[in-house]
Structures are given as structure tokens and as C-alpha cells.
Amino acid sequence: MQDTIHLHDKVKEILYSLTGITLNDNKDIMIANRLQKLKRDTKFDGNLDDLLVAVEQGRFVTEFINSFTTNKTHFFREDFHFVDLRDRVLPQFAQSGKEIKMYCSASSTGEEPYSMAMTVAEVSETLGSRIKASILATDIDTNVLQYAADGIYRYAKSSKEFPDWIKPQKYFKRRVQKNLASEEILIKVKDDLKKMITFGVLNLSDSSYPFERHEFDVIFCRNVLIYFSDVDQNKILKRLFKHLKIGGTLYLGHSESPQDLINYVTRAGQNIFVKNKDID
Ligand SMILES: C[S@@+](CC[C@H](N)C(=O)[O-])C[C@H]1O[C@@H](n2cnc3c(N)ncnc32)[C@H](O)[C@@H]1O
């Protein structure tokens, strides 16, 4: 028992130092399962203590990080954010002809940035003017980034994943695949959508980000801050905020709050914040 506590504390310590993620006390089963999987994936033939020593010495660091991230996501998650993007933000860019630069800061397997891109395509079509848009999508987990760049998803025809205003057949090609449940198909993102997005690795707990001040018109930072302590959430938000233009929009996840940014933003909807001044 003592050994397990020690082992799990070590995992938490290493994970925090590499990613900033803080694991709560009730995560013992999750830690045990993921450690076993890490051992299998790396084909490490010592015990778990030795495996963690190896990680501390710089071996299997990527595999360790990829094992302990939680990547749950889906297309048009919290769809009111995409409705806001569609109705309030994007029409301004259709009108001005200026490029909109968007940042998706924890893009996981890609459903979130592809939902942003579909929203751009939809508004362009509706308003009859092609909006110039670029989307940078980053995550710390290299496995999910590869998955996102491939852009192939399982899709159950009965699912309600896409809102009524999106017709998935416009944005995905159907792929024939045997051995799938009968109502499921594989869908692949079309190139037009892919072209809008650049995927890359970025650790939100890094002390600075490689962007210009005021680089982005829109930042999505959703359902990732929950993995950090309050103090670290605040630090990440302040770092991200520097790169958001005045008048730009920050979207946060349903249980995340803007913390110290509160006096520098105007609320435009549920966890939607428009920047009105710089914090420093
Ligand atoms: C639960 S998913 C959320 C995905 C998407 N934003 C959404 O709302 O559906 C959280 C993502 O945050 C990423 N993540 C965790 N720690 C991170 C860090 N320090 N830097 C960048 N991404 C991180 C994970 O790899 C994971 O893909």
C-alpha cells in the first residue's frame, strides 16, 4: 500500500513538472491503469519504480505525457460557442475582408478546430463572401495531434453530434471500412477544411508562448484549465490573454472561469469574453 502511494505521488510529481497538470487524490485507479499501459507501450522490462526513474532521466517522456492526458472531446461541443462565432464574430470579417486568426489551445483529436473551420465555411457560404481564416491548433499530446492531422473519425449516423445548421457530408468524405458496427461509418475531413488549420505541439504550462502580442482575434481554451490548479489556470489565462487582440474573443469551457481577467473583458455570452483592455 505504502509503495502504491509512493508510486502514485511520484507520477503526480513528474506529471506536474512536465505538463502543469494536477491530478486529484481520487485518481488512483486511473493512475494504475495508465501506468500499466505505459509499461506495455514502451515495452519496458523493469518494474514501475524503475520506469518512473527512466522518465525522470528523460526517457519515454513523450509516451508518459501522452498516457496521462485526458482527451475527451467531440464535434461542436458546447455548440452555443460556434453559434456565437457564426452570428457575432465571423460576419464582421466577411464584411471587412480582413483575415481572422484563431487559436485553439487544447485541440485534442481535432474535433474542436474542425468545428471552427466548418463554422467559417458555413458563414462564407451563407454571406456569399469567402472569409480568409487561419486556425492554429495545438496540444501537448503528440498522439492526438497525429490523429487530428489525419482527420478520420468514426461517425454513427444516428448521432446528434452535428447541429442542424451543419451538413457533415459537405465537409467529410465517406470511407468504406469493414468490421464497424452497422450504423457506424468512417468519415475523412475534406482538404478545403484541412487547409485552414495548422497543427502543432505546445505546452500551456510553458512560461511564454511563441506568438506575437495581439496575434489572435479568437482564442478557444476549453475544458483544459480544469486539469490545472487555480493558480496555474490564472497564469495560463494571463499568458494567453497577451496574444488576444483588443476586441478579440476568448471562449472557455463550461466549468472554467476567467479569474483575474474579469476586469479586462466584457461578457458576450455563456463563458464568452470579449477583451476590452490589456492586463499589463
Ligand atoms: C478534455 S480535452 C479538451 C479538448 C477540447 N478543447 C474540448 O473542449 O473538447 C483536454 C486536452 O488538453 C490537453 N492538455 C492537457 N495539458 C496540456 C498542456 N499542459 N498543454 C497543452 N495541452 C494540454 C490534453 O492533451 C487534451 O487533449
Side-chain angles (χ1 to χ4, degrees):
M1 187 62 187
Q2 195 54 42
D3 285 352
T4 309
I5 294 171
H6 165 76
L7 197 68
H8 288 195
D9 284 348
K10 196 85 214 151
V11 168
K12 289 180 190 175
E13 190 186 308
I14 301 173
L15 188 65
Y16 182 75
S17 75
L18 292 173
T19 67
I21 294 173
T22 301
L23 288 181
N24 301 332
D25 287 340
N26 57 358
K27 293 284 188 256
D28 282 330
I29 295 174
M30 181 264 236
I31 295 176
N33 289 340
R34 294 191 185 188
L35 263 182
Q36 288 300 342
K37 184 167 180 314
L38 177 65
K39 187 169 173 337
R40 281 196 305 278
D41 290 350
T42 54
K43 301 189 172 59
F44 187 77
D45 69 359
N47 62 30
L48 293 175
D49 273 316
D50 293 340
L51 176 56
L52 293 184
V53 170
V55 175
E56 280 182 304
Q57 290 170 344
R59 288 173 69 202
F60 312 125
V61 167
T62 304
E63 293 87 343
F64 179 87
I65 293 173
N66 292 355
S67 301
F68 282 97
T69 54
T70 298
N71 309 114
K72 185 181 159 4
T73 186
H74 57 81
F75 288 107
F76 293 92
R77 180 176 196 180
E78 292 158 64
D79 66 344
F80 46 90
H81 286 165
F82 299 94
V83 169
D84 178 73
L85 189 62
R86 182 192 72 185
D87 295 346
R88 186 181 59 83
V89 179
L90 289 170
Q92 301 165 33
F93 288 85
Q95 207 167 33
S96 69
K98 278 197 341 213
E99 179 183 1
I100 179 167
K101 293 182 86 175
M102 298 197 266
Y103 179 40
C104 176
S105 63
S107 57
S108 188
T109 37
E111 288 87 336
E112 187 173 58
Y114 286 127
S115 300
M116 294 158 78
M118 280 184 262
T119 306
V120 170
E122 207 59 38
V123 175
S124 294
E125 191 180 305
T126 311
L127 299 184
S129 75
R130 203 182 72 78
I131 298 170
K132 291 192 224 78
S134 66
I135 300 168
L136 175 68
T138 64
D139 201 283
I140 196 174
D141 180 333
T142 54
N143 285 342
V144 291
L145 284 167
Q146 185 55 55
Y147 191 101
D150 291 345
I152 300 171
Y153 299 91
R154 278 169 183 254
Y155 174 61
K157 286 178 243 164
S158 57
S159 83
K160 294 262 180 286
E161 202 162 353
F162 295 94
D164 292 345
W165 51 277
I166 291 288
K167 298 276 165 278
Q169 57 273 24
K170 273 173 35 187
Y171 303 111
F172 296 88
K173 286 183 274 195
R174 194 186 162 139
R175 290 195 123 207
V176 179
Q177 169 91 359
K178 294 192 181 109
N179 308 327
L180 283 180
S182 60
E183 80 282 9
E184 265 190 344
I185 56 169
L186 282 188
I187 55 176
K188 184 172 184 351
V189 180
K190 288 187 184 171
D191 287 344
D192 281 359
L193 220 55
K194 272 194 178 175
K195 274 189 216 143
M196 261 187 248
I197 306 174
T198 306
F199 290 101
V201 187
L202 187 138
N203 183 350
L204 287 169
S205 72
D206 284 351
S207 56
S208 65
Y209 306 144
F211 313 127
E212 300 291 323
R213 188 179 154 94
H214 295 179
E215 177 147 351
F216 299 106
D217 300 285
V218 165
I219 296 180
F220 275 64
C221 180
R222 307 189 315 158
N223 306 303
V224 60
L225 293 174
I226 43 171
Y227 300 104
F228 295 84
S229 69
D230 274 358
V231 171
D232 290 335
Q233 290 187 19
N234 219 1
K235 287 185 187 161
I236 292 172
L237 281 167
K238 285 181 177 168
R239 278 197 293 269
L240 282 174
F241 203 60
K242 242 189 240 166
H243 305 292
L244 185 65
K245 287 180 189 160
I246 310 281
T249 303
L250 171 69
Y251 295 95
L252 298 179
H254 58 279
S255 52
E256 294 161 336
S257 82
Q259 308 240 15
D260 283 0
L261 304 185
I262 197 68
N263 295 323
Y264 302 83
V265 292
T266 307
R267 199 172 174 276
Q270 198 180 329
N271 274 353
I272 304 173
F273 303 96
V274 176
K275 175 168 175 174
N276 50 40
K277 56 182 178 218
D278 282 312
I279 203 161
D280 45 23

